[in-house]
Amino acid sequence: QAFPPVSGSVVAEAIVSGSVGDPVIRGTADVTGVDAWQLHAANGHVDLRVAPVRGLGELTLRVPELEWQREVATQASARVAFSTRSIDLVDLRAAQPDGQGQISAAGRWNTRTSTFDARATVMAWRVLPGPSVPVSGVLAATLTMRGSIEAPSGRADITVAGASWEGAQVGDLVVQGIADGRDVRAEASAAALGLTATGSAALQGARQAVVDIRGPALQLARLTALLPAGSIPVDVSGQADVSAHAEGPLTSWRDGRVTVRVGGLDGSLGTVPFSLTGPTDVQVSGQSISVAPTTLRVGGVTLSAEGALGFSNVPSLNGLTVAARGDLGAFVGLRSEEHTSELQS
């Protein structure tokens, strides 16, 4: 993979003091007009002090203003100390221009035991929508982690207040996660959308994971507002009762299975009412998708579906049958009374 392009200019100097048996290297650098990894810094200053024989060193970085897409951080700074035993992030800080948004972090990596201890805090950080991430809101988060890469433990609490997606209001998003060295468990909610989610995953072996999502009273107008403008040419209103359950190994996710249950669906497409006559399930696995008997009434048309389709040649599956009955002319401008199609796997 090609190294990302980096541009800018630097003026640096280094001074060696001490003795031949125990030299100390001190260096400074001033950088201007740096662009790298979608980051832009008009200027910055670096201080470095290294005692190579003793295996000690310290690096300090100060950037008056740092920009990423539309996000701007002021007075960004980091101080890193390193020795033969550890690498320490002594302090990392950044603020937003108004002084309200704050980020701080610190941590240690023990090079002898390959273990770490880290903590980070985000306070009132205003997230602005960018070209690749069209999300906005006010972020607050705390993170504490320790242990090893294979068996971490700790806790994360994240809140995005007043979140929106491409300008559509989502409301407050809340995520909490806990890891104990063996498993990681998380809960998330979007109260304004009526969605909650829980999940867990093993940190060892095949990393078996389970996720449950529940939306017993989803407002369709809120959900469709999150879609790109013009995706649905008519107004959609109504309510749905939807839940989903997924489980499988993260190391081979194609062996997993997802079940989506629609317990109820009532609403309208413009002035055309629609409703689901009863609960239905859709199951998706690595080999097939199956639909339980499903009947949906849209205006004067009754749509039904049932069957299964394989993602590859699975002879035991008999295909997915979709049927429409009623006054299709009033619905899609056709004049037939009935149309039935069958999709074979």
Side-chain angles (χ1 to χ4, degrees):
Q1 184 177 358
F3 194 82
V6 177
S7 63
S9 60
V10 60
V11 176
E13 67 175 12
I15 299 175
V16 181
S17 60
S19 64
V20 174
D22 185 17
V24 176
I25 304 170
R26 293 181 174 87
T28 63
D30 290 292
V31 296
T32 57
V34 176
D35 285 287
W37 299 287
Q38 299 185 16
L39 292 170
H40 174 75
N43 57 78
H45 182 78
V46 180
D47 286 304
L48 176 66
R49 183 179 184 276
V50 180
V53 174
R54 284 175 278 170
L56 299 174
E58 184 173 291
L59 173 70
T60 302
L61 172 65
R62 294 185 295 274
V63 180
E65 186 171 287
L66 185 65
E67 182 177 351
W68 178 73
Q69 294 188 2
R70 293 181 60 193
E71 300 289 342
V72 177
T74 60
Q75 302 305 319
S77 64
R79 180 184 168 205
V80 179
F82 47 92
S83 68
T84 56
R85 295 187 301 251
S86 66
I87 301 173
D88 293 80
L89 177 60
V90 180
D91 185 54
L92 183 149
R93 294 183 181 275
Q96 290 188 303
D98 60 8
Q100 294 185 3
Q102 303 278 340
I103 294 177
S104 62
R108 165 175 288 189
W109 172 260
N110 190 313
T111 57
R112 295 182 175 178
T113 62
S114 295
T115 57
F116 67 90
D117 189 335
R119 55 199 177 276
T121 302
V122 181
M123 298 174 56
W125 192 273
R126 289 180 293 103
V127 179
L128 301 177
S132 58
V133 184
V135 178
S136 64
V138 179
L139 174 65
T142 58
L143 171 69
T144 56
M145 294 294 292
R146 63 186 61 84
S148 65
I149 299 298
E150 297 78 13
S153 61
R155 180 184 179 95
D157 294 275
I158 304 171
T159 300
V160 182
S164 67
W165 175 268
E166 292 188 336
Q169 293 300 314
V170 177
D172 295 349
L173 304 178
V174 180
V175 180
Q176 295 179 329
I178 297 176
D180 61 9
R182 299 180 303 274
D183 303 281
V184 58
R185 301 177 300 279
E187 298 180 356
S189 64
L193 297 179
L195 281 172
T196 60
T198 59
S200 64
L203 296 173
Q204 309 296 330
R207 305 184 188 276
Q208 190 74 16
V210 177
V211 177
D212 286 287
I213 301 174
R214 298 179 180 86
L218 295 179
Q219 300 301 313
L220 301 181
R222 279 187 173 271
L223 292 179
T224 54
L226 302 179
L227 299 175
S231 298
I232 301 178
V234 296
D235 292 333
V236 180
S237 61
Q239 184 170 292
D241 176 5
V242 179
S243 61
H245 175 83
E247 59 180 79
L250 296 179
T251 53
S252 55
W253 60 270
R254 292 181 181 275
D255 295 331
R257 181 178 295 273
V258 179
T259 301
V260 179
R261 181 173 182 79
V262 183
L265 178 64
D266 290 282
S268 63
L269 291 166
T271 60
V272 180
F274 62 85
S275 63
L276 193 67
T277 61
T280 187
D281 294 329
V282 177
Q283 290 191 348
V284 181
S285 68
Q287 293 186 332
S288 65
I289 177 172
S290 61
V291 180
T294 303
T295 302
L296 177 68
R297 292 196 177 98
V298 183
V301 176
T302 299
L303 304 172
S304 62
E306 180 180 4
L309 280 175
F311 295 135
S312 58
N313 187 21
V314 184
S316 60
L317 299 180
N318 57 7
L320 178 64
T321 300
V322 180
R325 297 177 176 85
D327 184 5
L328 299 185
F331 182 55
V332 292
L334 302 176
R335 292 302 177 191
S336 58
E337 289 296 319
E338 180 175 334
H339 178 73
T340 301
S341 64
E342 184 171 331
L343 304 178
Q344 295 295 338
S345 63

